[in-house]
Amino acid sequence: MDALDQRIISHLVADARASYAEIGSVVGLSAPAVKRRVDKLLDQGVLQGFTAVVDPEALGWGTEAFVEVHCHGNVPAHRIRTGLEPLPEIVAAYTVSGQADAIVHLRAADIHHLEEAMERLREVDFVSRTVSTVVLSRLLERQPQAD
């Protein structure tokens, strides 16, 4: 990946709906050359796709929490993922260092819905306990930029 690829990626992060011609005019390439580079970045897995970013509150899922998940014994990451995937309120999950085995990001319609989701999370067979932190407000949320 060179400086031109990084500039293309930065432009796509800022506006994924930009045409290849628009991007090309900014980075100094023709539209076909930009397309070839974008295709190559997709093939290499640098770009993983294009998506719409939706405000969760507009969909009625404005309550969120981060939850430490502590497991019984040594549970492999793939088993944690498999156990968490069926819970639609979990929008992200990570294995972490420290005392917790994983951290999950939950979104729900309201505090009652969040409580129900937490109860279902605690029912997953390998979960021994959870520690929850409810989000009061989002201060900063960024997409990664190529520099």
Side-chain angles (χ1 to χ4, degrees):
M1 185 166 65
D2 62 16
L4 277 174
D5 290 333
Q6 290 178 343
R7 291 179 62 205
I8 291 169
I9 291 168
S10 292
H11 198 78
L12 286 170
V13 169
D15 181 7
R17 294 184 64 182
S19 70
Y20 295 135
E22 290 170 327
I23 296 169
S25 70
V26 172
V27 301
L29 293 174
S30 68
V34 172
K35 182 185 182 322
R36 281 192 299 275
R37 285 178 174 260
V38 169
D39 288 346
K40 183 178 174 187
L41 292 166
L42 284 164
D43 289 344
Q44 293 173 338
V46 175
L47 292 174
Q48 297 181 348
F50 303 90
T51 187
V53 178
V54 179
D55 179 2
E57 290 186 39
L59 299 177
W61 286 54
T63 302
E64 59 188 315
F66 289 91
V67 183
E68 291 182 10
V69 176
H70 299 260
C71 300
H72 299 290
N74 188 12
V75 180
H78 73 274
R79 185 162 172 241
I80 294 172
R81 178 189 170 114
T82 301
L84 300 178
E85 263 181 329
L87 302 172
E89 295 86 358
I90 297 177
V91 296
Y94 312 92
T95 55
V96 294
S97 62
Q99 293 189 10
D101 294 288
I103 299 282
V104 300
H105 183 190
L106 288 172
R107 288 198 191 274
D110 54 34
I111 203 72
H112 179 71
H113 182 195
L114 182 64
E115 183 179 20
E116 289 173 350
M118 290 291 305
E119 288 171 3
R120 284 185 277 115
L121 173 60
R122 287 190 293 268
E123 289 172 358
V124 174
D125 66 340
F126 55 76
V127 175
S128 64
R129 71 184 179 97
T130 61
V131 178
S132 308
T133 303
V134 175
V135 174
L136 299 177
S137 62
R138 274 186 265 152
L139 300 177
L140 181 63
E141 201 167 44
R142 293 185 177 144
Q143 293 296 316
Q145 298 283 326
D147 291 324

